[in-house]
């Protein structure tokens, strides 16, 4: 509900002549405190959830200069002084609900101001009387006597007790919520939405809106029923001569007159609700006078019962509208003549006419319809009398001779004037029809903006009003059963008492008191429904939680919800077209019960969560009472009408899901979020107790992203791959690292996280994002690997992209970071996924038409290689791809048996995959492998030894690469023979230990002072050169360059190579040849990733091995297991 505040600043030195300026400042302050300009529609989430923080006027900053608070003067912009805060708290008030007409005045400048009077209503006027007026309504006057006659006194007491207990428990829960802080104008919708969140709030708010709208239909139908049945029955437009057509004719009359009444009421509301408010006292007076007339009539029955005779034929009640005498024959001037009643049962008015068989067999009896309180009729009305549609209303214990059914069916005379049921009756139906009579308990909370002290008035006024109306209903049930004959009670429309309103026959001094009173009461209730429902819809629309309803947040210049009124009138017309009060009542019962259910749920959730902000002033509540009220609401929904209940729940569920997926995100500190936090805490504690079983294992992925210079995600397809892998529905943490200190790069970190979230949203990746600032990338990624996640919800898999430019000298740290990440994930027993050519991977909106996903199962490290293809094929991008599994057989392996065993293993794993065993026989190490190894080792040595500038190093690396490619193309050793001592590299040899110490020192310096990185980096050393030194250095570099180029033209000494490197290179080359030959055209290749060497001196060689292994393949996913089984054949 949109909240507005009026703030009047109080200053000691304000002169009386400055009142106008102060008033204008107050209006501006109202906009400031509300967190938005007054012209903006929609209630935004206030910053820091308080309208009083961050609201200091910049012009008043100098106010604190020279004061005693100089120690805090730098924080005054965000934290106001206590005196200023208390001043604003003491002078703020809510704007009125809007049911009072907005009065606008124009100043001389043409600027419109809204003059709002402070709330002055107390408990009695503001809460008690509106609740009583809304609770006592159409059902009391038109249906309660019929409910008592049909269900009996005991059944009616059960219905009244259940419904009143439901509303009382709901009122207790509502009182607790209403007294838990200031309730701005908005009432029940505000309480529910701020307690249960925007999804539940929007769903229940719309249900409450629909209930209020259908209540308007109910009151209008009640108004027309009173008008056409009891006031001016001759005004009916549709009349049927046949009894079976009278009901349809009445329904058509209700539709026509109901539509006209709806249009008239909507025009009154559109012109101005001030007219409705002026008539509110009149409508309330009608209700009070009607209730008093009923009790006065009951007292009068003790002294002198009213004269309302009813006519019985046998035990059957007759409609006495068309005859005056309850006799078959009468003697006039000593002549026996037939009466009007005779003509209704016989084919003519003569004595020897053919009459109805039942009419011939039974006598006519006349009894009093209102025997009085002391008559003892209460014993006959104690129990119910349910029956099907068309069942005749009969008096119990009255003698009757049944007629033969075949004669009854053959009767062809005029329609027999029996009183009969117009609908089938049962206990559950009566519950649904009666429940609207106890709704209206929200009338006080809906006026929260008009109350002097809402936290005191709402609980007292609402609970006392419910207690009062419950007493009225219970006493009326007993008194009706004790004063009125059962056949009259079961006569819904009063046909047996000459079409008088049944409850009116009991009233004193005249039945017209009840007729006129109930007529105006229903009119007033209908007008109030058409006034309140559009404002409720406008409040929901202004909250911007349902996008397609935003148009209904606008209205006239004075704030009247014109568009919402039109929609309300349209929905109300649907109820009028139903045209039956008995059919509309269960519909609005569902919506009100849904609303009450969630009020109880909100109180129960807040109480059980024990959130620090839950401190209601109303202390007489308990979560068990709220839970009982919630259960009772749900039971009443299904008791009344199970299919209506399902439809109402379906509507609420659809609205909930729509708001969840399409609505604006709001943070209102609601209880559902607190419930989620408690549930998450409980789940995390349970997950911490033991590691997950293999059957429950799923990839919980930590994605390590790289950001470019603009702080944007460098490889967004990495998130696409993450989304496609999420068929396991596990945890996803998307993270990145910025170099620097947090104090200097705090803004960059926030911007980076926003960019990451935006990329996650565009790639449909659901998870968490986290960007940390660290002195260097290595430490940052290490901290993420160690500490990302919480409790049992920690990642078990790391996903990153292959470092493409690792060979370039300026990316040497990138290479080291990658290898250290591999080592750390291995040490942490976490899986590692490395995607090569990640930018070539398909996006989420693509769909691969065929192809294969090839799995090269070289070593078994937990079964992750088997699980990943299954997960990725669940996504629509890879769904049409087939899965192939390759394994490698050696000379002493039985490849045929291996294939059978592998097929059986795939069968037990429930995986559909083609199996193929590739034989790799032992072969001599080729010259190409030796040369590849030699080039690798020499490049590694040179990068360690040569102290070149950045430009020269790039040039030499490129030269080495070009020479290497030419040498690889020849694939044979050169024929030149030279002595082993021919290759002389004019550099200072450094030991491996010294090189490691050099790298450690360099990293230490970078960690200590990132801002001096440019001066400490070996690539950026600035020295003072003399001309001689410059010439000498150029000659030295040129000689070194020539030596490098000549190296590839000489025959290497293969015997001096590291044989371990030769064997590793041989494996990489052979595996690459096999993989390329089988899988070069596949859509994706998954391959076991070998671990890094234990000796850190061979890190560059490790990267070369991996590069050779995946050379010639497009999309590759290197997989390294975490050291535990992740897939099982057991159920």
């Amino acid at each position: 509900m949109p909240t507005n505040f009026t703030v009047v600043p109080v200053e000691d030195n304000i002169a009386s002549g400055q009142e106008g300026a102060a008033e204008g400042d107050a209006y501006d302050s109202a906009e400031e405190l509300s967190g938005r300009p007054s012209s903006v529609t929609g209630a935004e989430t206030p910053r820091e959830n308080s309208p009083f923080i961050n609201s200091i006027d910049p012009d008043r900053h100098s106010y604190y200069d020279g004061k005693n608070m100089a120690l805090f003067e730098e924080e005054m912009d965000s934290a106001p002084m206590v005196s200023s805060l208390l001043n604003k708290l003491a002078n703020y008030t809510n704007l009125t609900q809007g049911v009072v007409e907005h009065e606008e005045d124009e100043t001389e400048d043409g600027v419109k101001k809204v003059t709002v009077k402070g709330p002055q209503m107390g408990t009695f006027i503001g809460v008690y009387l509106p609740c009583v007026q809304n609770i006592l309504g159409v059902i009391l006057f038109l249906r309660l006597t019929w409910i008592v006659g049909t269900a009996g006194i005991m059944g009616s007491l059960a219905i009244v007790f259940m419904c009143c207990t439901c509303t009382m428990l709901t009122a207790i829960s509502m009182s607790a919520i209403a007294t838990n802080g200031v309730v701005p104008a908005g009432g029940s919708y505000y309480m529910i939405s701020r307690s249960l969140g925007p999804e539940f709030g929007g769903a229940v708010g719309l249900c409450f809106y629909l209930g209020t709208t259908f209540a308007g239909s109910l009151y209008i139908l009640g108004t027309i029923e009173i008008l056409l049945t009891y006031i001016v029955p001759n005004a009916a437009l549709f009349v049927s001569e046949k009894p079976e057509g009278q009901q349809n004719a009445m329904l058509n009359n209700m539709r026509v007159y109901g539509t006209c009444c709806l249009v008239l009421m909507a025009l009154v509301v559109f012109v101005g609700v001030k007219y409705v408010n002026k008539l509110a006292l009149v409508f309330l007076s009608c209700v009070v006078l009607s209730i008093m007339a009923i009790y006065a009539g009951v007292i009068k029955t003790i002294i002198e019962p009213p004269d309302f005779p009813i006519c019985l034929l046998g035990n059957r009640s007759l409609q006495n509208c068309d005859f005056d005498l309850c006799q078959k024959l009468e003697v006039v001037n000593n002549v026996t003549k037939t009466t009007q009643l005779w003509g209704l049962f016989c084919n003519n008015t003569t004595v020897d006419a053919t009459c109805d068989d039942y009419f011939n067999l039974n006598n006519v009896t006349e009894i009093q319809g209102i025997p009085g309180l002391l008559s003892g009729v209460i014993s006959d009305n104690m129990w119910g009398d349910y029956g099907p549609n068309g069942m005749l209303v009969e008096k119990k214990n009255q003698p009757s001779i049944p007629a033969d059914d075949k004669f009854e069916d053959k009767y062809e005379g005029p329609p027999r004037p029996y009183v009969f049921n117009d609908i089938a009756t049962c206990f559950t139906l009566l519950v649904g029809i009666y429940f609207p009579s106890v709704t209206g308990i929200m009338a006080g909370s809906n006026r929260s903006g008009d109350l002097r002290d809402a936290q005191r008035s709402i609980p007292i006024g609402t609970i006392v009003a419910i207690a009062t109306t419950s007493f009225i209903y219970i006493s009326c049930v007993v008194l009706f059963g004790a004063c009125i004959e059962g056949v009259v009670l079961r006569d819904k429309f009063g046909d047996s008492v000459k079409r008088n309103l049944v409850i009116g026959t009991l009233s004193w001094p005249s039945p017209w008191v009840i007729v006129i009173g109930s007529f105006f009461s229903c009119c007033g209730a209908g007008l109030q429904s058409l006034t309140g429902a559009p404002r409720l819809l406008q409040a929901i629309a202004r909250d911007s939680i349902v996008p397609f309803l935003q148009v209904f947040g606008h209205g006239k210049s004075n704030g009247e919800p014109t568009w919402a009124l039109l929609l309300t009138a349209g929905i109300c017309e649907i109820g009028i077209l139903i045209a039956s009060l008995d059919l509309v009542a269960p519909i609005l019962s569902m919506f009100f019960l849904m609303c009450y259910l969630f009020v109880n749920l909100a109180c129960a959730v807040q109480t059980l969560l024990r959130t620090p902000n839950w401190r209601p002033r109303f202390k007489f509540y308990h979560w068990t009472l709220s839970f009982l009220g919630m259960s009772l609401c749900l039971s009443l929904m299904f008791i009344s009408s199970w299919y209506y209940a399902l439809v109402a729940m379906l509507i609420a569920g659809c609205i909930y899901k729509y708001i969840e997926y399409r609505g604006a995100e709001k943070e209102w500190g609601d209880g559902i979020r607190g419930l989620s936090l408690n549930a998450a805490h409980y789940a995390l504690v349970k997950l911490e107790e033991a590691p997950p079983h293999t059957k429950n294992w799923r990839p919980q992925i930590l994605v390590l992203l790289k950001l470019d210079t603009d702080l944007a995600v460098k490889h967004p397809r990495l998130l696409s791959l993450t989304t496609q892998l999420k068929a396991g529905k596990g945890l996803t943490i998307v993270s990145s690292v910025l170099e620097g200190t947090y104090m200097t790069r705090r803004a960059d970190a926030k911007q980076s996280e926003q960019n990451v979230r935006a990329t996650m949203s565009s790639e449909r990746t659901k998870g968490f994002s986290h960007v940390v600032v660290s002195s260097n990338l290595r430490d940052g990624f290490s901290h993420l690997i160690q500490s990302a996640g919480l409790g049992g919800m920690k990642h078990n898999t790391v996903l990153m992209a292959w470092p493409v430019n690792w060979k370039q000298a300026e990316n040497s740290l990138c290479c080291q970071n990658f290898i250290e990440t591999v080592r750390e994930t291995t040490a942490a027993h976490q899986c590692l996924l490395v995607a090569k050519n990640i930018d070539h991977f398909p996006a989420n909106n693509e769909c691969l038409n065929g192809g294969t996903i090839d799995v090269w199962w070289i070593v078994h490290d937990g079964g992750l290689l088997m699980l990943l293809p299954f997960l990725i094929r669940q996504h629509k991008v890879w769904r049409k791809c087939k899965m192939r599994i390759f394994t490698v057989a050696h000379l002493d392996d039985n490849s045929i048996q291996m294939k059978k065993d592998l097929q059986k293993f795939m069968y037990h794993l429930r995986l559909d995959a083609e199996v193929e065993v590739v034989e790799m026989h032992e072969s001599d190490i080729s010259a190409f492998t030796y040369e590849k190894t030699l080039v690798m080792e020499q490049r590694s040595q040179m990068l360690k030894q040569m102290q070149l500038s950045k430009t020269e190093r790039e040039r030499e690396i490129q030269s080495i690469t070009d020479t290497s490619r030419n040498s690889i193309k020849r694939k044979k050793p050169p024929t030149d023979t030279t002595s082993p001592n021919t290759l002389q590299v004019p550099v200072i040899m450094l030991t491996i230990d010294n090189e490691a110490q050099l790298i450690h020192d360099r990293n230490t310096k970078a960690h200590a002072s990132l801002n001096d990185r440019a001066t400490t980096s070996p690539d950026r050393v600035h020295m003072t050169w003399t001309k001689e030194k410059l010439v000498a250095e150029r000659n030295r570099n040129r000689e070194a360059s020539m030596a490098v180029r000549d190296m590839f033209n000489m025959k290497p000494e293969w015997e001096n190579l590291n044989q371990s490197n030769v064997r590793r290179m041989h494996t990489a080359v052979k595996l690459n040849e096999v993989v390329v030959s089988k899988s070069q055209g596949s859509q994706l290749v998954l391959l076991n990733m070998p671990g890094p060497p234990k000796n850190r001196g061979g890190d560059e060689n490790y990267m070369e091995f991996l590069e050779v292994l995946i050379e010639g393949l497009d999309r590759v996913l290197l997989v390294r297991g975490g050291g535990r089984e992740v897939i099982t054949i057991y159920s």
Side-chain angles (χ1 to χ4, degrees):
M1 177 67 69
T3 305
N4 298 317
F5 302 93
T6 301
V7 178
V8 182
V10 179
E11 296 288 348
D12 295 335
N13 57 353
I14 291 181
S16 60
Q18 297 175 337
E19 291 178 358
E23 186 176 0
D25 292 341
Y27 191 79
D28 295 338
S29 299
E31 294 182 1
E32 179 181 325
L33 284 179
S34 63
R36 54 177 173 81
S38 60
S39 60
V40 178
T41 59
E44 299 296 335
T45 304
R47 184 168 48 179
E48 300 294 338
N49 293 328
S50 173
F52 307 106
I53 298 180
N54 303 317
S55 59
I56 298 299
D57 189 352
D59 297 336
R60 299 189 60 194
H61 182 70
S62 59
Y63 175 79
Y64 303 103
D65 294 342
K67 300 289 181 179
N68 295 329
M69 294 292 116
L71 185 61
F72 300 94
E73 62 184 5
E74 293 184 357
E75 301 178 12
M76 293 300 178
D77 291 336
S78 59
M81 290 183 63
V82 174
S83 59
S84 175
L85 173 64
L86 295 178
N87 181 26
K88 292 178 179 179
L89 281 171
N91 291 281
Y92 112 94
T93 180
N94 304 86
L95 291 179
T96 53
Q97 177 74 12
V99 295
V100 179
E101 178 74 20
H102 294 265
E103 299 178 1
E104 299 182 346
D105 295 328
E106 287 198 5
T107 63
E108 297 178 357
D109 299 333
V111 179
K112 291 183 177 181
K113 296 189 302 179
V114 179
T115 303
V116 181
K117 296 182 180 180
Q120 298 295 329
M121 288 193 293
T123 303
F124 185 75
I125 299 296
V127 180
Y128 177 78
L129 289 182
C131 286
V132 170
Q133 182 183 0
N134 280 268
I135 294 173
L136 300 176
V138 60
I139 301 297
L140 170 64
F141 299 122
L142 296 182
R143 292 292 183 269
L144 187 59
T145 54
W146 175 70
I147 291 174
V148 173
T150 305
I153 295 176
M154 299 305 296
S156 301
L157 287 176
I159 294 173
V160 172
F161 178 77
M162 283 194 303
C163 295
C164 292
T165 302
C166 175
T167 54
M168 180 62 78
L169 293 174
T170 303
I172 292 173
S173 300
M174 183 187 68
S175 300
I177 298 174
T179 57
N180 186 49
V182 178
V183 178
S188 56
Y189 164 69
Y190 184 93
M191 291 187 295
I192 296 172
S193 61
R194 269 58 178 180
S195 297
L196 294 180
E199 292 86 1
F200 278 109
V204 180
L206 286 177
C207 286
F208 189 48
Y209 162 74
L210 292 174
T212 307
T213 304
F214 277 102
S217 302
L218 182 76
Y219 295 131
I220 292 174
L221 290 175
T223 302
I224 302 305
E225 182 176 315
I226 295 172
L227 179 69
L228 295 180
T229 306
Y230 307 112
I231 299 179
V232 282
N234 296 328
L237 299 177
F238 301 92
V239 180
S240 177
E241 298 296 335
K242 298 181 179 180
E244 58 270 13
Q246 292 178 358
Q247 186 174 3
N248 292 331
M250 185 62 182
L251 294 179
N252 291 329
N253 289 320
M254 298 281 284
R255 293 185 180 103
V256 174
Y257 280 96
T259 303
C260 295
C261 184
L262 172 63
V263 172
L264 183 62
M265 288 184 176
L267 286 176
V268 173
V269 175
F270 177 77
V271 170
V273 292
K274 62 182 179 182
Y275 302 110
V276 180
N277 294 325
K278 290 179 180 178
L279 293 173
L281 184 59
V282 176
F283 300 144
L284 178 61
S285 302
C286 293
V287 174
V288 175
L289 290 176
S290 300
I291 299 297
M292 294 176 62
I294 294 172
Y295 284 108
V298 171
I299 295 174
K300 186 177 179 298
T301 60
I302 301 176
I303 305 171
E304 181 184 358
D307 184 22
F308 283 98
I310 59 173
C311 188
L312 300 177
L313 177 61
N315 64 351
R316 298 178 181 179
S317 178
L318 300 178
Q319 302 178 14
N320 61 0
C321 303
D322 299 326
F323 61 90
D324 297 325
L325 292 176
C326 185
Q327 298 176 6
K328 294 183 180 181
L329 301 171
E330 64 176 338
V331 179
V332 179
N333 297 327
N334 296 324
V335 178
T336 303
K337 295 183 179 181
T338 59
T339 61
Q340 292 173 324
L341 181 61
W342 182 279
L344 295 177
F345 285 90
C346 302
N347 57 2
N348 57 60
T349 58
T350 61
V351 178
D352 58 349
T354 303
C355 299
D356 178 62
D357 189 44
Y358 187 83
F359 182 76
N360 292 328
L361 294 175
N362 292 275
N363 296 323
V364 176
T365 308
E366 186 177 72
I367 62 174
Q368 283 296 325
I370 313 295
L373 188 63
L374 303 180
S375 63
V377 73
I378 188 172
S379 59
D380 296 333
N381 297 328
M382 192 64 66
W383 305 106
D385 187 10
Y386 305 103
N389 184 11
M391 185 187 80
L392 300 178
V393 175
E394 300 175 342
K395 178 175 172 55
K396 301 175 183 177
N397 304 323
Q398 181 74 13
S400 173
I401 301 174
D404 194 347
D405 291 338
K406 62 181 180 179
F407 291 107
E408 292 261 343
D409 296 336
K410 292 180 179 180
Y411 173 74
E412 297 180 354
R416 291 166 292 190
Y418 294 130
V419 179
F420 54 87
N421 289 347
D422 62 333
I423 58 173
T425 56
C426 59
F427 180 81
T428 58
L429 174 72
L430 299 183
V431 173
I433 293 176
Y434 173 77
F435 187 81
S437 65
V438 297
T439 60
I441 63 174
M442 300 289 188
S445 62
N446 289 341
R447 296 168 180 253
S448 56
D450 300 328
L451 301 175
R452 185 184 302 114
D453 186 0
Q455 296 192 24
R456 180 179 179 273
S457 298
I458 289 177
I460 296 176
T462 304
I463 292 176
V464 173
I466 293 176
T468 302
T469 54
S470 298
F471 171 78
I472 291 174
Y473 280 124
I474 292 174
S475 62
C476 284
V477 167
V478 176
L479 293 176
F480 291 165
C483 296
I484 305 175
E485 270 290 346
V487 289
V488 179
L489 289 173
R490 292 195 294 277
D491 184 3
K492 183 186 294 185
F493 301 106
D495 293 322
S496 61
V497 286
K498 295 188 178 296
R499 279 297 176 103
N500 279 301
L501 184 62
V502 174
I503 195 174
T505 60
L506 185 62
S507 65
W508 181 86
S510 170
W512 286 100
V513 176
I514 294 291
V515 172
I516 300 301
S518 60
F519 177 79
F520 284 108
S521 173
C522 292
C523 286
L527 283 172
Q528 289 183 353
S529 296
L530 291 179
T531 303
R535 281 163 178 77
L536 179 59
L537 180 62
Q538 186 183 43
I540 299 172
R542 286 184 173 179
D543 265 349
S544 301
I545 58 175
V546 183
F548 69 85
L549 290 180
Q550 291 184 1
V551 66
F552 300 107
H554 307 287
K556 294 193 296 187
S557 59
N558 60 1
E560 291 299 312
T562 307
W563 295 107
L565 178 60
L566 289 176
L567 180 64
T568 302
I571 298 176
C572 193
E573 177 64 17
I574 297 175
I576 290 175
L577 292 178
I578 296 175
S580 174
L581 189 146
D582 301 321
L583 297 179
V584 174
I587 296 176
L588 66 97
S589 296
M590 292 303 116
F591 292 120
F592 277 116
L593 282 168
M594 182 78 71
C595 177
Y596 296 166
L597 184 149
F598 281 100
V599 169
N600 287 289
L601 175 63
C603 182
V605 167
Q606 298 279 25
T607 306
L608 290 174
L609 290 178
R610 298 179 181 177
T611 53
N613 191 54
W614 179 247
R615 303 184 301 274
R617 291 188 177 276
F618 181 78
K619 302 299 182 183
F620 304 100
Y621 71 95
H622 195 267
W623 68 268
T624 54
L625 296 178
S626 300
F627 185 79
L628 179 61
M630 182 177 63
S631 304
L632 190 55
C633 288
L634 188 63
S635 302
L636 286 175
M637 287 177 65
F638 283 92
I639 287 174
S640 302
S641 176
W642 63 269
Y643 46 89
Y644 278 166
L646 292 178
V647 170
M649 296 173 70
L650 180 63
I651 292 174
C654 292
I655 297 171
Y656 178 93
K657 297 304 292 183
Y658 179 82
I659 296 174
E660 183 180 13
Y661 286 108
R662 297 293 302 275
E665 294 183 0
K666 299 284 183 180
E667 175 50 56
W668 288 330
D670 52 87
I672 294 298
R673 186 172 179 84
L675 184 63
S676 301
L677 290 173
N678 276 24
H681 174 264
Y682 176 79
L684 288 173
V685 171
K686 295 294 290 183
L687 287 174
E688 189 74 10
E689 295 178 357
H693 192 270
T694 302
K695 291 185 287 187
N696 296 326
W697 193 95
R698 58 187 63 185
Q700 322 277 12
I701 301 177
L702 171 65
V703 185
L704 301 181
L705 291 178
K706 287 186 179 181
L707 305 179
D708 56 20
T709 54
D710 297 330
L711 302 180
V713 177
K714 195 172 183 180
H715 301 294
R717 292 295 173 85
L718 204 60
L719 296 178
S720 301
L721 178 61
T722 305
T723 303
Q724 295 157 19
L725 282 171
K726 291 308 291 177
K729 303 295 183 184
L731 173 72
T732 299
I733 303 175
V734 181
S735 58
S736 187
V737 178
L738 297 179
E739 286 188 284
T741 61
Y742 182 72
M743 295 305 296
T744 58
R745 304 207 64 182
R746 178 176 52 185
D748 290 343
K750 185 175 293 186
Q751 181 63 40
S752 301
E753 194 152 352
Q754 292 177 355
N755 295 342
V756 170
R757 285 201 191 100
T759 308
M760 291 174 64
S761 178
S762 62
E763 298 295 338
R764 302 175 186 175
T765 303
K766 293 183 179 180
F768 308 97
S769 61
H770 191 39
V771 176
V772 299
V773 181
S774 179
S775 57
N776 56 70
L777 296 177
R778 173 68 256 126
D779 290 345
F781 285 126
S782 177
H783 295 158
L784 286 172
I785 292 173
Q786 295 177 60
S787 61
L790 180 64
M793 285 298 289
K794 292 182 67 69
H795 64 279
N796 53 28
T797 305
V798 177
L799 174 62
M800 60 190 303
W802 172 260
V804 180
N805 300 324
W806 67 271
K807 293 183 180 180
Q808 297 181 5
E810 64 270 17
N811 289 326
S812 59
L813 283 179
C814 174
C815 174
Q816 291 295 325
N817 291 342
F818 176 81
I819 298 174
E820 289 301 317
T821 301
V822 177
R823 286 197 175 101
E824 289 182 358
T825 54
T826 304
H829 300 290
Q830 296 174 2
C831 304
L832 178 64
L833 308 178
V834 180
K836 178 196 174 186
N837 295 333
I838 185 61
D839 294 329
H840 296 175
F841 276 63
N844 289 325
N845 55 2
E846 298 180 20
C847 185
L848 301 177
N849 294 321
T852 60
I853 300 176
D854 290 353
V855 178
W856 285 86
W857 191 20
I858 310 301
V859 295
H860 179 66
D861 54 358
L864 184 61
L865 271 173
M866 309 297 173
L867 186 61
L868 287 177
F870 168 77
L871 296 179
I872 204 171
R873 289 180 64 223
Q874 305 303 307
H875 197 273
K876 63 178 182 179
V877 174
W878 305 90
R879 192 165 294 157
K880 296 182 180 180
C881 297
K882 295 182 179 180
M883 179 178 170
R884 297 193 303 179
I885 295 183
F886 297 90
T887 188
V888 177
H890 298 285
L891 184 62
D892 52 348
D893 293 329
N894 186 344
S895 58
I896 298 177
Q897 187 61 37
M898 280 183 64
K899 185 174 183 178
K900 292 181 179 180
D901 294 341
L902 186 56
Q903 288 174 339
K904 185 177 181 180
F905 184 54
M906 291 297 105
Y907 176 79
H908 286 305
L909 289 177
R910 290 90 66 198
L911 296 176
D912 296 328
E914 297 180 9
V915 174
E916 186 172 344
V917 177
V918 179
E919 296 182 353
M920 285 185 61
H921 300 293
E922 296 291 340
S923 61
D924 296 333
I925 300 175
S926 64
F928 170 74
T929 302
Y930 277 109
E931 185 174 349
K932 192 82 173 175
T933 308
L934 177 64
V935 172
M936 176 187 69
E937 290 191 353
Q938 290 176 342
R939 175 169 37 225
S940 177
Q941 284 295 102
M942 271 185 250
L943 290 179
K944 290 180 181 179
Q945 295 172 359
M946 289 184 180
Q947 301 297 324
L948 302 177
S949 66
K950 181 179 179 181
T951 305
E952 290 292 330
R953 185 178 300 180
E954 288 177 353
R955 188 185 311 160
E956 294 305 322
I957 292 296
Q958 186 62 40
S959 173
I960 294 172
T961 304
D962 295 340
T963 307
S964 174
R965 287 174 179 169
N966 294 332
S967 176
I968 291 172
K969 288 179 181 179
R970 291 193 298 270
K971 285 195 177 181
K972 59 181 180 177
T975 55
D976 231 3
T977 56
T978 326
S979 108
N981 298 326
T982 304
L983 179 60
Q984 299 292 334
V985 181
V987 292
I988 302 175
M989 302 299 293
L990 297 175
T991 64
I992 294 177
D993 293 336
N994 291 338
E995 177 66 12
Q997 185 61 37
L998 179 62
I999 294 174
H1000 173 72
D1001 294 342
R1002 188 178 303 165
N1003 290 338
T1004 304
K1005 292 178 182 178
H1007 184 81
S1009 177
L1010 179 71
N1011 296 330
D1012 296 334
R1013 183 186 177 103
T1015 58
T1016 58
S1017 174
D1019 293 344
R1020 300 177 181 268
V1021 176
H1022 297 279
M1023 302 180 66
T1024 303
W1025 294 84
T1026 62
K1027 184 177 181 180
E1028 293 77 8
K1029 286 185 177 181
L1030 179 60
V1031 173
E1033 184 65 20
R1034 284 180 176 175
N1035 293 334
R1036 188 176 72 85
N1037 290 339
R1038 189 177 296 109
E1039 291 173 1
S1041 177
M1042 293 301 296
V1044 171
R1045 290 189 178 94
D1046 292 342
M1047 175 184 66
F1048 293 100
N1049 296 325
M1050 304 174 185
K1051 180 179 179 180
E1053 289 295 334
W1054 296 340
E1055 303 84 23
N1056 295 335
L1057 293 176
N1058 187 326
Q1059 293 303 310
S1060 176
N1061 288 341
V1062 173
R1063 291 194 306 271
R1064 292 170 184 265
M1065 182 62 73
H1066 175 67
T1067 303
V1069 170
K1070 296 295 291 182
L1071 272 179
N1072 178 258
E1073 290 177 356
V1074 174
V1075 173
V1076 169
S1077 65
K1078 297 287 185 179
S1079 303
Q1080 191 169 17
S1082 63
Q1083 299 287 5
L1084 179 63
V1085 176
L1086 283 80
L1087 189 65
N1088 280 117
M1089 180 180 182
K1094 296 181 180 179
N1095 183 4
R1096 296 179 182 269
D1099 287 351
E1100 293 85 356
N1101 300 340
Y1102 173 70
M1103 296 297 294
E1104 188 70 37
F1105 295 146
L1106 294 181
E1107 186 73 46
V1108 172
L1109 182 62
I1110 60 179
E1111 189 175 5
L1113 300 172
D1114 185 20
R1115 300 187 191 120
V1116 181
L1117 193 61
L1118 293 174
V1119 181
R1120 183 162 178 78
R1124 59 160 295 175
E1125 292 292 335
V1126 301
I1127 192 169
T1128 178
I1129 63 175
Y1130 300 105
S1131 59

